Amino acid sequence: MLGFDDIVQWRARIFSRLLAIVLVLGAIAAIPTMAVVLRNGQWKVAAMDTAALVWLFALWRLERLPYRFRVVNFIAIIYLVAICLMLEVGPVSQNYLMAPPVMAAILLGTVPALASLGFSAAILIYGLTHFPGAMADVGRGAGANIWLITLNFACVGALLALTCATLLRGLSRSLDDVRGFAASLQSGQNALQALNAELRLTSAALARLNDMVLIARAVDAPDRDQPIIFSNEAFQRRTGYSDADIVGLSMRVLHGPGTDPAVVARLAEAMAKGEPATAEMVNYTKAGEPYWAEMELMPFTDDAGKITHWVAVGRDITERRHSADAIHRLAYYDVLTGLPNRRLITERLDAMVAAASAGRGLGAVLYIDLDNFKHVNDGRGHTTGDELLKHTARTLAQVVRKGDTVARLGGDEFVVLLEGLGTDPEFATGAALAVSGKIRAALGEDVVIDDQPYRSTASIGVALPVRPGQSVADLLRDADLAMYHVKAAGRNGVAVFETSMLDAAERQLSLGRDLSAALDNGELSMHLQLQVDHDGKPAGAEMLMRWRRGDGTFVPPDVFIPVAESSGLIVPLGLWVLRQACQARLALERAGHPLQLSINVSPRQFRQADFVDQVRTTLRETGVDPHALVFEVTEGLLVEDFDAITAKMRELAGLGIRFSIDDFGTGYSSLGYLKKMPLYELKIDKSFMRDTPHDANGTAIVQTILAMADHLGLRVVAEGIETEAQARFLADNGRPCMQGYLYCRPVPLAELIGRLERGV
């Protein structure tokens, strides 16, 4: 489509319309004219009119021809008509010569117009000079008149052509200005459209942003709220506020009882300073539901740098905060009881120790262990055990002061941290013992779980940070040692840490390390103590472990055996004893004295999952007859999980192993287990034989055991026989086998074989 702001295109449009008009007018004028001229015999004029019309029609139809070519042809047609009429009609036809310069000025420009005017003037001079018919009224000798006519013609033609050209140049410049202005308007419009599109996109993105967005108008007056003017869809979805609800209100409408005033004050201070700020805070929905939001508050300024608006962008971090709180609780609190755990109590202990070191007052640590909790846990199940632990936690929290800390370290171990006990160690110790007494009394009360009553006493160790340089680990260790001191003394008591306890613990630790190395260094050995029948003849022997250090010092069994039990060394030591017993049996067989050998089996060793396989493998590798071995177990083994222990004993008895109850009568109170177990013998503890036969009570117990064993068909061995009176009493009462210093002290295998050889 042609543009009206382009002069060239404008001329083309004018020319196209002009051709049509000239063609129509020419046809209207030519038809009557041709009738007249033909009647007058002027056939050349008729031919010229016809040719001009045909030529015009061709130019009108052939629009694809170049514009300048068509214009030149159009002007040529006018010249054709003008020349022809001048020759045929006369000077009156000179008006046709005026048309080409004007048309050239309009359609082509000033230069073509002046050139055309010159050409028209030349034609006029030529016609006036050389064509007599054209000069009929002027005369042949009037040269001055010819030039005068031509000059007038040229002046008028120049006036018309230059006027048209000047007007068109002005029009062209105006069109250029219009075009420039239009281009500027178009550019501005395009920029405005782009800006509007960008604003629409920004607005749509802001409205649909997952983050909550609020925009508030800035108010200069102090202590004035900033009214909200915009909220996006995410904010409306999360809070339940609509635009109508929130617009015009302050952002403080989102605050509630859980919102931290310190955070709000910090944000207000930042706004007063015109600074951006971030915060995590509790906001509230329209329905009053609290949620955690991470807020970013940013000021927006105008060109002058004045703050006009505040934009608040918020993200709902409720789930993140809940997860963080859950992680914090997992890190610092016990899952079962909700009490602080070891990590948190350690941090608080560290603060308490630091305060004591700085002279700001003493505190105390109470290390609490429930007595025989494992019996409840194993006998009644972990659910009952867990309920008992939760009851203990609640009880401890009720007994202590509000500022004290109750923590669970794990299992059935609790710690109470008492603070603010003053600066006097004696007073602080007395206060700690008073609280310990309250705890013992509270925990000693019956508790009903699933309609079953339970009572759980506690052993409590107390330690205070009174030694210089004492660390948290030292303090916990001291309280733990004091608690174990109570355990060793019979449980259900309170003990304050003393340095002698630490010395004893260090000796135990050192003894454990030495015992571990003793097995590798060959410092351990097995001695045998004979068992004889009522006639004094050898009936068996008990394998007893002895430890003589590399420096020759002797460590008693009642010293190192408990260390082996507590450290777990008793398991590898027990396997070593089993192999030593098998080798001793083979040596006795080779010497012709195949005595039955008894070995002590620790409860810890017996409970090993692969104990039966270890026994089976040892017997297979050594080739010893299983009936030659008697496993002595204590009654304490039977307290925990009696059915499982009995099943394992039956499995070993199936191999041929015989079982003996060691120290019978000093442990398990129920005698019903005797008929349920694959027993071979009972060993009467030497504590019952010590005053027999002179002590009536001890004598009665021994007689009862002998009678019961006879009724059950069990072999009996009486330990600790040191006098002839004891031997005669046993010979007169059931005739059990006897073992003691009266017959034989524990001796090495070689010495025992020598004695047997000599018949001693």
Side-chain angles (χ1 to χ4, degrees):
M1 182 177 179
L2 296 176
F4 291 99
D5 60 347
D6 190 340
I7 192 64
V8 175
Q9 296 181 3
W10 182 83
R11 283 172 168 166
R13 293 175 63 88
I14 293 298
F15 177 63
S16 296
R17 292 185 180 181
L18 182 62
L19 280 177
I21 293 171
V22 171
L23 184 61
V24 172
L25 292 178
I28 294 173
I31 294 173
T33 301
M34 283 190 292
V36 173
V37 298
L38 286 175
R39 187 169 58 248
N40 295 332
Q42 294 177 316
W43 59 271
K44 292 180 180 180
V45 175
M48 178 272 300
D49 287 341
T50 302
L53 287 175
V54 173
W55 198 351
L56 279 174
F57 182 78
L59 290 178
W60 177 62
R61 295 295 297 174
L62 298 176
E63 292 182 353
R64 288 177 294 178
L65 291 175
Y67 168 74
R68 186 171 290 273
F69 176 81
R70 295 173 70 202
V71 171
V72 171
N73 276 268
F74 176 67
I75 294 174
I77 293 172
I78 297 175
Y79 277 125
L80 173 65
V81 173
I83 293 172
C84 189
L85 289 177
M86 183 176 289
L87 294 175
E88 294 296 326
V89 176
V92 72
S93 302
Q94 65 180 338
N95 57 345
Y96 280 93
L97 294 175
M98 189 65 69
V102 175
M103 291 299 172
I106 295 173
L107 300 176
L108 296 177
T110 303
V111 175
L114 293 177
S116 179
L117 179 60
F119 187 65
S120 294
I123 294 174
L124 180 60
I125 293 172
Y126 182 81
L128 292 175
T129 306
H130 294 83
F131 297 100
M135 297 299 296
D137 298 327
V138 178
R140 291 184 178 271
N145 290 333
I146 295 174
W147 287 107
L148 182 60
I149 293 172
T150 302
L151 179 61
N152 289 328
F153 174 82
C155 289
V156 175
L159 177 62
L160 293 174
L162 291 175
T163 300
C164 291
T166 301
L167 288 173
L168 289 175
R169 279 199 303 272
L171 178 60
S172 178
R173 284 194 297 269
S174 298
L175 290 176
D176 289 340
D177 292 340
V178 170
R179 186 163 57 251
F181 181 67
S184 177
L185 287 178
Q186 184 64 41
S187 177
Q189 184 180 13
N190 292 340
L192 185 60
Q193 289 177 347
L195 181 59
N196 287 335
E198 186 175 336
L199 287 175
R200 286 195 299 272
L201 180 61
T202 302
S203 177
L206 191 63
R208 290 169 175 78
L209 198 65
N210 287 331
D211 291 343
M212 297 177 285
V213 179
L214 288 176
I215 301 178
R217 187 175 68 254
V219 178
D220 291 336
D223 300 329
R224 286 288 303 276
D225 291 330
Q226 322 291 315
I228 296 171
I229 63 171
F230 171 83
S231 67
N232 71 342
E233 294 177 4
F235 172 83
Q236 296 167 16
R237 286 195 305 269
R238 182 63 187 90
T239 64
Y241 286 103
S242 65
D243 260 343
D245 295 328
I246 201 70
V247 169
L249 300 180
S250 166
M251 284 185 280
R252 294 178 184 271
V253 73
L254 301 175
H255 301 166
T259 306
D260 189 348
V263 175
V264 176
R266 182 167 61 82
L267 292 177
E269 182 180 359
M271 293 179 71
K273 295 179 180 179
E275 299 174 348
T278 60
E280 291 186 3
M281 60 194 304
V282 176
N283 284 340
Y284 287 80
T285 66
K286 184 179 180 181
E289 173 196 354
Y291 66 94
W292 276 94
E294 182 182 49
M295 303 295 296
E296 294 184 35
L297 197 62
M298 296 166 289
F300 271 67
T301 59
D302 57 16
D303 294 338
K306 180 182 178 182
I307 296 176
T308 60
H309 295 85
W310 287 92
V311 177
V313 179
R315 284 170 288 278
D316 187 347
I317 58 170
T318 305
E319 291 299 324
R320 192 183 80 188
R321 287 297 299 237
H322 287 172
S323 299
D325 291 343
I327 292 172
H328 180 270
R329 290 202 63 81
L330 288 174
Y332 289 97
Y333 291 86
D334 175 56
V335 176
L336 177 64
T337 62
L339 296 177
N341 60 12
R342 180 182 293 271
R343 183 175 180 179
L344 182 54
I345 194 65
T346 300
E347 292 183 3
R348 295 184 180 178
L349 280 171
D350 189 57
M352 187 265 282
V353 171
S357 300
R360 296 195 299 270
L362 294 172
V365 175
L366 312 184
Y367 203 111
I368 304 169
D369 185 270
L370 301 183
D371 297 329
N372 299 318
F373 172 75
K374 185 173 175 55
H375 297 169
V376 177
N377 212 27
D378 293 344
R380 295 295 184 181
H382 290 284
T383 301
T384 301
D386 289 347
E387 290 299 321
L388 184 57
L389 290 174
K390 288 190 282 188
H391 167 75
T392 302
R394 290 191 297 269
T395 302
L396 291 174
Q398 292 169 359
V399 171
V400 302
R401 299 169 303 175
K402 186 176 181 180
D404 298 329
T405 302
V406 179
R408 181 186 178 215
L409 298 187
D412 59 339
E413 295 180 336
F414 296 84
V415 166
V416 174
L417 171 59
L418 305 176
E419 297 189 79
L421 301 182
T423 57
D424 182 18
E426 291 187 7
F427 177 82
T429 302
L433 288 174
V435 175
S436 299
K438 293 180 180 178
I439 291 174
R440 279 189 59 213
L443 294 181
E445 296 178 359
D446 288 345
V447 54
V448 177
I449 301 174
D450 294 335
D451 298 327
Q452 294 292 326
Y454 296 91
R455 175 178 295 178
S456 178
T457 59
S459 299
I460 305 174
V462 181
L464 286 79
V466 294
R467 300 200 312 274
Q470 196 171 16
S471 67
V472 171
D474 295 336
L475 194 62
L476 282 174
R477 178 203 60 199
D478 295 348
D480 191 22
L481 286 174
M483 182 272 293
Y484 273 107
H485 184 77
V486 176
K487 290 281 189 183
R491 299 182 174 88
N492 192 22
V494 180
V496 179
F497 172 78
E498 298 175 357
T499 55
S500 59
M501 297 178 185
L502 180 59
D503 295 337
E506 290 177 348
R507 286 195 300 271
Q508 290 287 93
L509 180 62
S510 177
L511 193 64
R513 289 196 302 266
D514 294 344
L515 180 59
S516 178
L519 184 59
D520 297 330
N521 296 336
E523 297 177 4
L524 299 177
S525 62
M526 297 302 298
H527 286 201
L528 290 85
Q529 186 175 29
L530 272 179
Q531 297 172 349
V532 300
D533 61 14
H534 63 282
D535 292 326
K537 296 181 180 179
E542 181 179 0
M543 303 284 293
L544 301 171
M545 188 184 301
R546 295 295 182 262
W547 179 14
R548 186 176 297 277
R549 295 179 183 270
D551 59 3
T553 57
F554 179 75
V555 183
D558 58 353
V559 173
F560 72 82
I561 292 298
V563 174
E565 287 278 3
S566 61
S567 65
L569 284 172
I570 196 67
V571 175
L573 287 179
L575 183 59
W576 178 78
V577 168
L578 176 60
R579 289 189 173 275
Q580 291 293 311
C582 290
Q583 294 172 5
R585 169 67 185 194
L586 294 176
L588 288 169
E589 288 178 357
R590 289 193 295 270
H593 304 284
L595 294 178
Q596 178 178 265
L597 300 181
S598 299
I599 60 173
N600 290 281
V601 178
S602 163
R604 189 164 186 172
Q605 179 188 6
F606 196 91
R607 295 190 192 98
Q608 294 296 306
D610 58 348
F611 179 63
V612 175
D613 293 335
Q614 289 179 352
V615 173
R616 185 184 292 109
T617 299
T618 302
L619 293 175
R620 184 176 63 250
E621 291 176 351
T622 59
V624 171
D625 182 6
H627 291 88
L629 300 179
V630 177
F631 285 179
E632 295 186 5
V633 297
T634 61
E635 290 179 283
L637 175 68
L638 309 175
V639 175
E640 301 175 10
D641 203 355
F642 177 81
D643 293 337
I645 295 298
T646 303
K648 187 175 290 187
M649 291 178 67
R650 293 186 184 281
E651 189 175 359
L652 289 169
L655 298 177
I657 300 295
R658 296 173 176 178
F659 284 94
S660 172
I661 300 297
D662 195 14
D663 301 332
F664 181 74
T666 62
Y668 196 38
S669 60
S670 174
L671 299 179
Y673 68 90
L674 293 178
K675 62 182 180 180
K676 298 179 181 180
M677 298 171 61
L679 294 179
Y680 167 68
E681 79 177 16
L682 301 177
K683 294 194 76 172
I684 301 176
D685 186 68
K686 58 186 177 183
S687 63
F688 297 132
M689 296 302 305
R690 184 174 297 116
D691 297 323
T692 300
H694 307 295
D695 177 65
N697 292 331
T699 300
I701 291 174
V702 171
Q703 289 175 331
T704 300
I705 293 174
L706 291 173
M708 181 176 58
D710 180 65
H711 179 73
L712 295 174
L714 300 177
R715 181 175 183 256
V716 178
V717 176
E719 294 183 297
I721 307 305
E722 299 180 357
T723 65
E724 291 289 346
Q726 292 171 336
R728 285 195 300 271
F729 170 78
L730 293 174
D732 295 336
N733 292 274
R735 297 183 175 184
C737 293
M738 294 172 285
Q739 178 181 338
Y741 287 174
L742 178 63
Y743 299 102
C744 180
R745 289 178 176 272
V747 294
L749 176 62
E751 184 177 340
L752 179 63
I753 292 176
R755 289 190 179 192
L756 293 173
E757 292 290 344
R758 296 192 302 272
V760 179

